[in-house]
Amino acid sequence: MLRVELATQILRLRTLVALGCLAALPVVAGLATASSAGKRLEGQDGLFGAAPYSALNHAMAGLEFAGPLLLPIVVALLGAAIGSADRDWGILRYLYVAPVTRGRLLAGKLAAVVVATAAAVASVALAGVLTGLALFGWHPFHVLGGANLSAAATLGRVAAACGYLTLCMLSIGALAFALGLLLPRGAEAVAVAIGFVVVASILNGQAAQRGGLLHAVAVALPVHYWQQWPALFTPSAAAHLGPGIAVQAAAVAVCAGAAVLVLHRRDPAA
């Protein structure tokens, strides 16, 4: 089932175009800042300010830029398509007759969501590295206000950042997948998933200012933790990713459980 899902969903023109658009972001950003190679971007701090120093600097800045909204939109699109496409095409009942057990179908689709999410993150990271390599060269990872990172430290933190961001995006991918099984049309699932991200982001911003009940609600949502990984590249390296990992894993588990209930409690082909 995983092979079928990859062939019918991940390799579709729509998916390839979406991943290509993500990959174009660091390319365009690199061309726009090529004149600042080896220098700090004026008026920018953190990963954005250090982007022109090296290929990996540029790649991490690209991930930070895409992470809050652009990556979730693409991942939600892919997750909803994987969840709803068979019903939209009218072939879901035929899969049951084939026979394909509902458990096997669900496992294949969930695995495809994981692959699609990882591909979305990797497209930005890889395009960022290649663009940065061509424009800025391969140099030690520069930290504004701190010492350059060693090669081992850089690779370890880059791997941790990419893994954490993939898990964060998987939470919205799993939500869109469950909605794709539940709602009548895939477009509705995408709209609801993206609406959730937008509302949760606004709530998170308001909670940071007001605290209280808003803060208590915000910290229970996965979006609250999506932008914690850039702390891996601060001089203090005081990144506390544990709570974020736990919340993302819980969100994925809840959405996967909801998908199981949808497949086993009713006919999603209806």
Side-chain angles (χ1 to χ4, degrees):
M1 283 306 302
L2 175 58
R3 183 174 64 252
V4 172
E5 290 295 332
L6 294 180
T8 58
Q9 296 299 330
I10 307 302
L11 297 181
R12 291 188 69 190
L13 179 60
R14 177 185 60 190
T15 301
L16 297 178
V17 169
L19 295 179
C21 290
L22 282 177
L25 290 174
V27 176
V28 173
L31 294 175
T33 58
S35 60
S36 300
K39 299 181 293 183
R40 176 176 180 171
L41 282 181
E42 185 176 355
Q44 297 292 336
D45 296 318
L47 292 176
F48 293 139
Y53 279 96
S54 75
L56 287 178
N57 275 105
H58 181 66
M60 293 300 99
L63 282 177
E64 185 179 17
F65 178 77
L69 187 58
L70 298 176
L71 264 175
I73 288 175
V74 172
V75 171
L77 173 66
L78 299 179
I82 292 170
S84 65
D86 292 333
R87 185 185 63 245
D88 291 345
W89 295 339
I91 63 172
L92 188 54
R93 286 196 179 97
Y94 296 101
L95 289 176
Y96 292 158
V97 174
V100 176
T101 64
R102 298 192 181 202
R104 183 184 172 195
L105 180 67
L106 178 63
K109 287 183 174 293
L110 285 174
V113 172
V114 174
V115 173
T117 303
V121 175
S123 65
V124 179
L126 183 58
V129 170
L130 295 178
T131 302
L133 188 62
L135 298 176
F136 308 123
W138 188 266
H139 305 292
F141 195 97
H142 187 76
V143 177
L144 296 180
N148 291 341
L149 297 180
S150 65
T154 299
L155 293 178
R157 297 187 194 190
V158 167
C162 291
Y164 181 80
L165 185 57
T166 300
L167 179 60
C168 289
M169 293 301 102
L170 185 58
S171 65
I172 192 63
L175 173 63
F177 170 71
L179 291 171
L181 292 175
L182 178 64
L183 298 178
R185 294 289 181 268
E188 297 172 1
V190 175
V192 173
I194 294 175
F196 169 79
V197 172
V198 172
V199 171
S201 298
I202 294 173
L203 178 64
N204 190 50
Q206 292 295 317
Q209 300 175 8
R210 301 182 182 182
L213 180 60
L214 281 178
H215 179 74
V217 174
V219 297
L221 300 176
V223 176
H224 177 74
Y225 304 91
W226 282 2
Q227 287 299 96
Q228 291 190 341
W229 65 267
L232 289 166
F233 302 98
T234 60
S236 61
H240 303 289
L241 304 183
I245 293 173
V247 172
Q248 309 308 316
V252 172
V254 168
C255 293
V260 171
L261 291 177
V262 170
L263 278 178
H264 287 277
R265 296 286 181 175
R266 72 176 182 85
D267 182 3

